[in-house]
Amino acid sequence: MSAPSAPPSAVLDTSVLYPAWSRVLLLRLARRQPAGFRGIWSRDIARELWRTFEVRAGRRGIAPEQIRHEAAAALYPLRQAFAIVTAESRPPGTPASPLPDPDDAHLWNAALNAGAAYIVSNNTRHFPPPIPQMADGERVLRHHVHGIEFVTAIEFIEDILGLDAAALYGASIPCGGIVRSARSGH
């Protein structure tokens, strides 16, 4: 009898941790027994997520103490479910970030430091260019660089993990939530 394979590991960007639907689904999957995947984030991602809560809540006119309460309530379960890795630098001898936005280098560093196979982000305009690859005898496009693939939340949940996101969520995915990259042919 063969040992079960380890679940995939993925660095989760703020763009998939801020929307409630994807945060809820990713938490559920990481907490499953056995885990659906190994979720990874960094202090940089946590700080960016906190700032996103502050800015968006401030735009809605929410009082600062309520903003802190909402942000803390969202971040606490993430701290329990996801591994924190350093993202300030990458391991010696590893390639520099291929991301076009230098502010996103922390995602690359976190993935390298954690040995992650995926970076999950909905900022597809910041993905490295897609490259053709063969998968199941078909030519497909993948945002794949140095062993790390960049995918959106819906692609990670449905294409990589093979799950029905809406069924798992228990409701329709919000209109703007279904973001796909060139990986999906869109």
Side-chain angles (χ1 to χ4, degrees), residues 30-52:
R31 289 178 169 167
R32 272 187 170 178
Q33 292 302 322
F37 77 104
R38 180 174 169 253
I40 300 160
W41 67 335
S42 68
R43 286 178 174 72
D44 292 325
I45 296 167
R47 281 190 290 269
E48 187 177 58
L49 183 55
W50 187 277
R51 280 191 309 272
T52 302

Side-chain angles (χ1 to χ4, degrees), residues 54-76:
E54 287 179 328
V55 168
R56 293 193 178 175
R59 288 182 192 154
R60 295 188 328 245
I62 296 175
E65 61 277 356
Q66 182 63 27
I67 292 170
R68 284 189 294 277
H69 175 73
E70 285 184 17
L75 267 65
Y76 180 77

Side-chain angles (χ1 to χ4, degrees), residues 32-179:
R32 272 187 170 178
Q33 292 302 322
F37 77 104
R38 180 174 169 253
I40 300 160
W41 67 335
S42 68
R43 286 178 174 72
D44 292 325
I45 296 167
R47 281 190 290 269
E48 187 177 58
L49 183 55
W50 187 277
R51 280 191 309 272
T52 302
F53 271 100
E54 287 179 328
V55 168
R56 293 193 178 175
R59 288 182 192 154
R60 295 188 328 245
I62 296 175
E65 61 277 356
Q66 182 63 27
I67 292 170
R68 284 189 294 277
H69 175 73
E70 285 184 17
L75 267 65
Y76 180 77
L78 303 178
R79 288 188 359 222
Q80 305 305 310
F82 303 145
I84 294 181
V85 299
T86 186
E88 289 77 31
S89 63
R90 64 184 195 279
T94 57
S97 173
L99 300 172
D101 184 350
D103 291 338
D104 287 338
H106 68 98
L107 296 170
W108 180 252
N109 295 345
L112 290 174
N113 288 325
Y118 300 95
I119 293 177
V120 183
S121 173
N122 283 345
N123 292 329
T124 59
R125 69 187 182 284
H126 294 171
F127 282 13
I131 56 172
Q133 296 181 340
M134 294 301 288
D136 298 327
E138 284 187 46
R139 187 174 170 208
V140 295
L141 293 175
R142 296 290 188 260
H143 302 275
H144 195 265
V145 180
H146 300 294
I148 300 171
E149 186 173 358
F150 295 75
V151 294
T152 66
I154 203 77
E155 290 168 343
F156 184 68
I157 294 165
E158 294 188 346
D159 301 349
I160 305 301
L161 300 179
L163 301 168
D164 182 328
L168 184 62
Y169 187 52
S172 296
I173 302 302
C175 185
I178 301 178
V179 176

Side-chain angles (χ1 to χ4, degrees), residues 1 12-13 27 93-94 141:
M1 180 184 265
L12 306 171
D13 186 21
L27 274 168
T94 57
L141 293 175

